[in-house]
Amino acid sequence: HCWRPDGEVFVGCRGGQIVRVDPSTGAVSQENRTLEPVVSSSVCALLLTRTHLVVGCSDGSIVWLDLANLHPVMKTSSPSCGCICSMSFSPNFKSLVVGASTGCVFTVLININQMTTEVVEIRSCHTGAITGLGAIAGPSSLWVTCGVDGSVRQW
């Protein structure tokens, strides 16, 4: 799930659907009544920017959806790392760090103006899925990951 600025929540579904939900009532937004899939596999992770909803999928793909209409505008595939379990943008939003079900972490460089991405750095960090990751603000790039193996790591 992912909170929207207006207080509603985007919820990703196993069938590839993304719905908007009012958290105070649990009601699904009228515009989502058809529940057509917007991605081709299960939705496993969501991130929100000013203009895009970024979707991490069970097939290892990452899809950028236009926030206005939820149509795909850009797609990246992971380098055989499995299901996308967690994602976090760098503080300057120029890269996306991704954690996968295999314990692999990789970095995706983003050029949103040209609508291109490039997978650059791949590390094996955990035994099993990475359940969370995030950047620590400071003069150097420091990331923290945690996984189902019970460990927390800095890199």
Side-chain angles (χ1 to χ4, degrees):
H1 76 279
C2 185
W3 287 91
R4 292 170 37 106
D6 64 7
E8 286 190 322
V9 178
F10 281 122
V11 178
C13 303
R14 184 180 303 157
Q17 304 92 342
I18 295 176
V19 296
R20 285 179 29 202
V21 176
D22 179 338
S24 62
T25 65
V28 174
S29 172
Q30 287 292 341
E31 66 192 56
N32 294 118
R33 293 289 183 202
T34 60
L35 293 180
E36 291 296 319
V38 293
V39 293
S40 60
S41 64
S42 297
V43 175
C44 300
L46 296 172
L47 278 180
L48 189 65
T49 73
R50 244 186 1 230
T51 56
H52 296 95
L53 179 64
V54 184
V55 183
C57 303
S58 62
D59 66 359
S61 64
I62 302 167
V63 181
W64 276 255
L65 303 175
D66 185 303
L67 197 52
N69 57 24
L70 295 186
H71 290 146
V73 295
M74 188 167 57
K75 183 176 180 178
T76 299
S77 294
S78 72
S80 303
C81 287
C83 175
I84 305 302
C85 297
S86 54
M87 302 182 293
S88 182
F89 284 107
S90 62
N92 64 7
F93 282 83
K94 292 184 178 182
S95 63
L96 178 68
V97 176
V98 180
S101 59
T102 59
C104 166
V105 173
F106 61 96
T107 303
V108 179
L109 297 181
I110 304 164
N111 185 329
I112 206 69
N113 296 326
Q114 296 179 0
M115 300 306 285
T116 60
T117 61
E118 177 187 4
V119 175
V120 289
E121 186 177 356
I122 305 165
R123 296 180 184 195
S124 183
C125 295
H126 292 269
T127 303
I130 295 173
T131 56
L133 53 85
I136 296 177
S140 63
S141 295
L142 182 63
W143 290 86
V144 175
T145 59
C146 59
V148 295
D149 60 7
S151 67
V152 175
R153 302 209 170 115
Q154 295 180 12
W155 52 279

